[in-house]
Amino acid sequence: MAEEHYLELSENPVQFEHASSVNNVFFDEANKQVFAVRSGGATGVVVKGPDDKSSVAFRMDDKGEVKCIKFSIGNKILAVQRTSKSVDFINFIPDYPHTEFTQECKTRNASILGFCWTSWNEIVFITDQGVEFYQVFPDKRNLKLLKSQSINVNWYQYCPETAVILLSTTVQGNVLQPLAFKNGNVSKMSKFEIELPVIPKPAKLSLSERDVAMATIYGQLYVMYLKHHSRTANSPGAEVVLYHLPREGPCKKSHVLKLNTTGKFALNIVDNLVVVHHQSSQTSLIFDIRLKEPDCSVNTQQPVLPARSIHPYRIPLSGSAVVPSQPPVPCQLYSSSWSVFQPDIIISASEGYLWYLQVKLPPTVKLLQDKGKLMDFLLRRRDCKMVILSVCSQILEGSEKAELPVVATVFDKLNQVYKEYLEAEQSYAAAVESGPSRGAATQKRPVRTQAVIDQSDMYTHVLSSFSERKGVSHKFIIAVLMEYIRSLNQYQITVQACLLLSLEGTYPPAHQLSLDMLKRLSTANDEIVEVLLSKQQVLGALRFIRSVGAHDNVSARKFLDAARQTGDQMLFYTVFRSFQQRNQRLRGSPAFNPGEHCEEHVTHFKQLFGEQAMMKASTV
């Protein structure tokens, strides 16, 4: 079971002073910073971020209980909310006045629910009556109202990656209004309604903030709604309903993720996977919205893998009181004191830890038996290359050996991604060549992800070791090699047969197989000649160029250099004679032209075999 934990907490968590009666803990989702505020800041504020650069420590006057505290992007300006009417600001820019300044909300009788920084000097106040968008002037120590929007607000959520604020409106709270902020502008996106499991009568707030999350999945913004099991509706369990939120156009319900159970849940996004934590069973489920179930409607999905717990985690003890032999303390996973933040953060305020949730790919291989589906899943993950190559090796040998159609499916899935990358590279190169007028300036160079498994990867990590295995039939080896070549041809990828030639040492038939294949593919023959000559197979190279009809055009010097380097005098004699014959046939004389630069080889031949040998004809 231990090897089946496909989720784990990061090895080096961010540590901070745990929450207590004198220490309040806050988290800023935009900068991923934890604030430990002691005694309202009078005895110190310690800010810990994902790296040391974003960690800060300072003191501030205790002016009452802190409700919310966040730095602007880049730790330039600190904003602190202590009342429901105003927000205080402190400059952290060098050489700027350090004195606090305050901004009250403009809307009369409104209460500030919270605030969000959208840039280093732009901030949004969210009140129960709407939003107020300000620009902060740290040098003048004041703010300017850029835009305001009146709307009744129950609660809000913020997605820092897209600078979109989601407002819960209406009495029931299920009409959501997204607002996008950029460069001093605010734009209304399409509002939409969340379908509630039960409509309450009389109407009351029915959509809870903790059941909604915003996240970017595969580059698109989604609102995730945790729809709980309804006893009256006789539904089998809770669901996560995804609403796709485009920049323009209507918001649409796009996916329904079936949880098949009830209880308390929390959501994370890791490596474009939706992770659903279930507290009572202490397990998590993962969903990949790009994987379509063949037996389900397009938007209804079951978990990719069976439910498993996060890998057990032990908290290392530290401090002067630690006894060296004392073992680390097991961490209570799925604790009720855990707080989950988007996309992949879990915080235990009571223990003083912030972890990043991570996916472990090797355990998924055994849990996902369908190799085609497994490949689809792995190809979309960040660190997938070595796991994919190990799966390719597994399906070719040993107890996990698969049937040829399965091998073909795996090759096709890999080569489809490989082809897409090659086409993107070609498109980029063409755009660069055509100059900036054709839009090359806007086209970015394609990023080579780990999902691109090229021929070199396949030969180095899979095919070469596979062909070395004892007990594997030659028939199966040839079938696999031909299947890989078929797949490359299907996606119109030029086969690099020189790599196939490199298998010759471990599997001799690969040599002839690759040469035959090259003739059929009309691939550049120079590359093959280079490989053969580098392996001192000079006669093999000579036969190859004759077989493809290229003997009349090749460089005699290249072959004579290679023959001489072997130290085999008879080989040198044979190659020299072969080119003398060619010269005789083409030009009526066995002599080399000055442009062929073979003078030193002629001298060497005379030294070895004498002047008289120059005149004789010979055949290979």
Side-chain angles (χ1 to χ4, degrees), residues 17-18 20 22-24 36-46 60 62:
E17 187 179 345
H18 64 82
S20 66
V22 293
N23 184 57
N24 288 338
V37 182
R38 290 180 62 87
S39 312
T43 54
V45 178
V46 178
M60 59 186 189
D62 183 359

Side-chain angles (χ1 to χ4, degrees), residues 572 576 592 598-607 614:
F572 181 74
F576 191 89
F592 291 94
C598 291
E599 293 82 4
E600 64 175 286
H601 293 303
V602 171
T603 305
H604 183 65
F605 185 88
K606 288 176 182 176
Q607 286 171 349
M614 287 289 292

Side-chain angles (χ1 to χ4, degrees), residues 206-245:
S206 304
L207 184 64
S208 166
E209 180 183 357
R210 68 170 178 268
D211 290 336
V212 175
M214 266 196 301
T216 303
I217 311 171
Y218 291 116
Q220 298 293 314
L221 182 60
Y222 289 88
V223 171
M224 302 184 288
Y225 163 50
L226 195 50
K227 187 176 183 181
H228 289 282
H229 166 75
S230 163
R231 289 190 184 90
T232 53
N234 197 25
S235 58
E239 301 169 341
V240 176
V241 184
L242 265 59
Y243 293 83
H244 179 223
L245 206 56

Side-chain angles (χ1 to χ4, degrees), residues 182-199:
K182 192 174 184 182
N183 301 332
N185 293 313
V186 54
S187 54
K188 260 188 173 181
M189 296 165 72
S190 298
K191 71 177 175 183
F192 62 100
E193 189 171 331
I194 298 272
E195 299 167 21
L196 296 171
V198 178
I199 307 296

Side-chain angles (χ1 to χ4, degrees), residues 30 32 117-118 157-166 178-183 185 187 189 214-217 219-223 245-247:
K32 310 287 185 266
W117 287 101
T118 58
Q157 292 212 345
Y158 181 51
C159 177
E161 288 81 14
T162 54
V164 170
I165 293 177
L166 191 67
L179 301 172
F181 295 83
K182 192 174 184 182
N183 301 332
N185 293 313
S187 54
M189 296 165 72
M214 266 196 301
T216 303
I217 311 171
Q220 298 293 314
L221 182 60
Y222 289 88
V223 171
L245 206 56
R247 279 281 168 178

Side-chain angles (χ1 to χ4, degrees), residues 273 286-288 291 293 302-306 367-368 373 377:
L273 295 167
I286 60 172
F287 296 84
D288 184 348
L291 279 181
E293 293 286 341
Q302 295 292 334
V304 178
L305 301 169
L367 293 171
L368 203 50
K373 194 174 174 184
F377 174 78

Side-chain angles (χ1 to χ4, degrees), residues 339-545:
S339 300
V340 173
F341 295 93
Q342 299 312 317
D344 55 356
I345 288 169
I346 295 173
I347 293 178
S348 173
S350 61
E351 292 169 314
Y353 282 91
L354 178 153
W355 294 280
Y356 288 92
L357 188 64
Q358 298 167 340
V359 174
K360 289 198 299 180
L361 294 180
T364 66
V365 175
K366 283 192 174 177
L367 293 171
L368 203 50
Q369 294 301 315
D370 181 331
K371 293 296 183 269
K373 194 174 174 184
L374 174 64
M375 276 298 145
D376 288 337
F377 174 78
L378 292 175
L379 283 165
R380 297 194 190 101
R381 308 286 74 84
R382 202 168 31 235
D383 302 318
C384 62
K385 177 168 275 187
M386 295 320 293
V387 180
I388 288 174
L389 291 169
S390 74
V391 171
C392 290
S393 293
Q394 281 174 27
I395 62 173
L396 295 181
E397 52 197 73
S399 57
E400 300 281 324
K401 188 172 145 183
E403 297 294 319
L404 212 53
V406 174
V407 175
T409 300
V410 168
F411 285 162
D412 285 349
K413 287 184 182 295
L414 297 182
N415 287 330
Q416 184 179 353
V417 175
Y418 181 20
K419 176 64 174 176
E420 285 166 4
Y421 171 73
L422 291 174
E423 284 180 339
E425 271 282 334
Q426 285 170 349
S427 169
Y428 174 76
V432 169
E433 207 171 299
S434 64
S437 59
R438 297 282 177 88
T442 57
Q443 192 165 350
K444 289 182 180 174
R445 186 179 194 122
V447 177
R448 180 172 180 146
T449 66
Q450 286 205 14
V452 178
I453 309 288
D454 64 18
Q455 295 173 64
S456 178
D457 295 323
M458 188 57 78
Y459 287 120
T460 306
H461 297 283
V462 181
L463 297 178
S464 56
S465 60
F466 159 62
S467 61
E468 280 174 14
R469 289 271 173 200
K470 289 183 171 63
V472 181
S473 75
H474 281 188
K475 189 177 175 184
F476 185 61
I477 291 174
I478 289 177
V480 168
L481 291 175
M482 292 314 294
E483 203 53 68
Y484 186 57
I485 292 162
R486 174 212 53 82
S487 180
L488 290 169
N489 282 335
Q490 182 177 316
Y491 288 97
Q492 298 173 318
I493 300 168
T494 304
V495 181
Q496 296 167 358
C498 60
L499 290 168
L500 194 52
L501 273 170
S502 67
L503 289 177
E504 185 202 0
T506 54
Y507 180 58
H511 173 85
Q512 195 55 47
L513 180 71
S514 57
L515 295 185
D516 293 345
M517 183 187 81
L518 278 159
K519 290 177 204 172
R520 288 203 305 277
L521 293 171
S522 306
T523 315
N525 298 321
D526 291 350
E527 199 176 358
I528 309 311
V529 170
E530 292 294 341
V531 172
L532 291 169
L533 291 180
S534 70
K535 296 170 80 172
Q536 297 195 332
Q537 295 180 10
V538 185
L539 287 181
L542 207 51
R543 289 192 195 98
F544 172 70
I545 57 158

